[in-house]
């Protein structure tokens, strides 16, 4: 039986890993599908990581560094549907949360495509609360921003 202890999480380095990260992102959030150039640009601003079981890609994560007076960081964990409910998302999230703390985050947020029920349940189960729902200009998909409850913040 494969367990979370078999999971390997690695920072994204090079075009091959960027393409793997892009694949997971685009499967999980197709309305926000990214080009290879979009991902390269994102990789310059944010910490991107991939999760593997052996050589099999199972997920990815993004940590946006703290910003603003509140030092708000965004932590997003994505797991491919065939690998959910095995603790891989938790491992990705906790590693991202640790990195956000090292960067000085005082508040943690995440963002979920509203139709992604698994993602919303995952965030709510970890103490996040909804703070905003919106549709981007010219789009039709609804997004949900969530913030970690004050008693569960990064510090």
């Amino acid at each position: 039986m494969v367990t979370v202890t078999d999971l390997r999480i690695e920072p994204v380095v090079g075009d091959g890993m960027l393409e793997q990260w892009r694949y997971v992102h685009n499967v999980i959030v197709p309305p926000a599908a990214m080009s290879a150039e979009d991902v390269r640009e994102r990789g310059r601003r944010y910490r991107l990581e991939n999760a593997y079981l052996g050589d099999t890609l199972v997920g990815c994560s993004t940590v946006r560094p703290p910003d603003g007076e509140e030092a708000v960081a965004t932590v997003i964990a994505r797991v491919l549907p065939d690998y959910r409910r095995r603790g891989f998302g938790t491992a990705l999230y906790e590693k991202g949360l640790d990195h956000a703390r090292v960067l000085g985050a005082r508040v943690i947020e995440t963002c979920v495509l509203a139709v992604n029920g698994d993602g919303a349940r995952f965030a709510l189960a970890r103490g996040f609360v909804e703070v905003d729902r919106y549709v981007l200009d010219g789009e039709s998909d609804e997004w949900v921003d969530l913030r970690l409850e004050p008693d569960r913040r990064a510090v």
Side-chain angles (χ1 to χ4, degrees), residues 7-13 17-18 20-22 24-25 39 42-43 46-52 57-64 75-79 88-100:
L7 189 69
R8 186 178 83 251
I9 301 172
E10 296 185 5
V12 170
V13 177
M17 290 182 80
L18 281 169
Q20 291 175 329
W21 185 95
R22 182 172 85 99
V24 175
H25 176 276
V39 175
R42 186 164 285 198
Y46 306 142
R47 181 175 182 88
L48 308 180
E49 293 185 320
N50 289 338
Y52 304 91
L57 178 68
V58 300
C60 74
S61 66
T62 303
V63 176
R64 298 176 190 158
V75 176
I76 303 169
R78 301 172 199 86
V79 175
F88 304 144
T90 299
L92 275 164
Y93 164 70
E94 288 176 353
K95 190 159 191 259
L97 184 61
D98 288 346
H99 184 70

Side-chain angles (χ1 to χ4, degrees), residues 110-151:
T110 196
C111 180
V112 178
L113 185 61
V115 298
N116 181 353
D118 285 342
R121 282 187 293 280
F122 180 89
L124 294 170
R126 277 145 193 84
F128 284 85
V129 294
E130 183 176 326
V131 294
D132 194 18
R133 278 185 183 254
Y134 54 93
V135 174
L136 298 171
D137 290 341
E139 303 289 329
S140 60
D141 297 289
E142 186 175 44
W143 295 88
V144 181
D145 285 346
L146 301 108
R147 182 173 277 207
L148 204 52
E149 290 182 327
D151 63 338

Side-chain angles (χ1 to χ4, degrees), residues 24-40:
V24 175
H25 176 276
N26 290 353
V27 166
I28 305 300
V29 286
M34 296 181 158
S35 70
E37 183 53 39
D38 292 336
V39 175
R40 276 191 290 280

